[in-house]
Amino acid sequence: MPRPATTDPTAEPPAPEGADSTRERIVAAATDEFARHGIAGARVDRIAKQARTSKERVYAYFRGKEALYGHVAAKELTELAEATRMDPADLPGYAGCLFDHFTARPDHHRLITWGRLELADSAVADTGTDPTRAAIARKLDQLRQAQQAGQLDPAWDPVDVLALVNQIATTWAAQTEIGAAAEQAADPSIAARRAAVVAAVERLFPRVKR
């Protein structure tokens, strides 16, 4: 049975049988498309084709390309937060966890980076549900509590701590052009790169001995 017409372009029509799987296919296809081409370069017709549906159906679920990216990015960032929970008493371990995640999911790093470059602080943040800001706020609170508990040097500003740990942990994911240089290292393995990341964070923010 066809969907009833709606006059609200932002409203999602009643879902027919199988709509959930169609929506899931759209989100999966969009995740791949945005990771490969960014937001400006992504094409809704390619997303629809990969999802085995129509452009009209894509727009029935999402108001536009930026809204679709916002949904995909929120989903990916939620998964990232779940996969890389931070223990403020073990920041080297947290850095290693981040390294592992982005090594296994380079597409995830690309997708998030496209949003930073193309949307800046506008589209996703303006919804009031920006998952990145919420996650950052939670982690800063954790770091402040660790300082109060004597687990982290209070001389550091928590904002600097989080920025430095994240930057070190994502060094190789963010600088793929240096990947070839790793082949010239004494130990060119991924394990050696991970060990260097953990050691660098350990020197700055030693883990708490329990």
Side-chain angles (χ1 to χ4, degrees):
M1 181 179 294
R3 291 176 179 269
T6 176
T7 57
D8 182 357
T10 67
E12 182 178 326
E17 184 178 356
D20 287 345
S21 62
T22 300
R23 191 174 191 274
E24 290 167 3
R25 291 199 308 272
I26 291 170
V27 171
T31 301
D32 181 68
E33 179 75 6
F34 288 129
R36 289 174 179 272
H37 304 287
I39 303 166
R43 296 290 179 266
V44 175
D45 56 347
R46 284 199 299 254
I47 293 171
K49 182 178 181 180
Q50 185 175 335
R52 305 191 308 279
T53 189
S54 65
K55 288 176 64 175
E56 291 73 21
R57 183 61 59 85
V58 174
Y59 285 122
Y61 285 111
F62 302 98
R63 294 190 300 275
K65 196 163 57 171
E66 288 190 0
L68 178 53
Y69 175 84
H71 176 85
V72 167
K75 178 176 177 293
E76 292 291 298
L77 288 166
T78 298
E79 291 180 5
L80 173 63
E82 289 297 319
T84 60
R85 292 182 179 274
M86 185 183 74
D87 178 356
D90 184 11
L91 292 177
Y94 171 63
C97 191
L98 283 173
F99 177 91
D100 291 341
H101 180 83
F102 287 120
T103 297
R105 291 285 312 276
D107 59 312
H108 188 145
H109 189 272
R110 291 196 303 271
L111 186 146
I112 294 171
T113 301
W114 279 118
R116 289 173 180 161
L117 292 172
E118 297 189 52
L119 296 183
D121 295 327
S122 59
V124 178
D126 287 347
T127 65
T129 58
D130 181 7
T132 305
R133 293 187 178 186
I136 289 172
R138 287 194 300 271
K139 289 176 180 178
L140 291 177
D141 284 342
Q142 284 182 277
L143 293 171
R144 292 187 186 100
Q145 291 170 15
Q147 288 176 323
Q148 293 168 3
Q151 297 176 328
L152 181 64
D153 186 350
W156 286 95
D157 190 305
V159 173
D160 293 324
V161 174
L162 188 60
L164 288 169
V165 172
N166 284 353
Q167 188 65 36
I168 293 170
T170 59
T171 292
W172 292 97
Q175 301 185 75
T176 55
E177 69 278 6
I178 306 182
E183 298 176 2
Q184 304 170 28
D187 182 348
S189 68
I190 292 176
R193 306 287 75 73
R194 185 188 195 279
V197 163
V198 172
V201 176
E202 177 73 36
R203 292 192 182 189
L204 284 172
F205 312 110
R207 57 172 53 89
V208 177
K209 292 183 172 62
R210 295 171 176 170

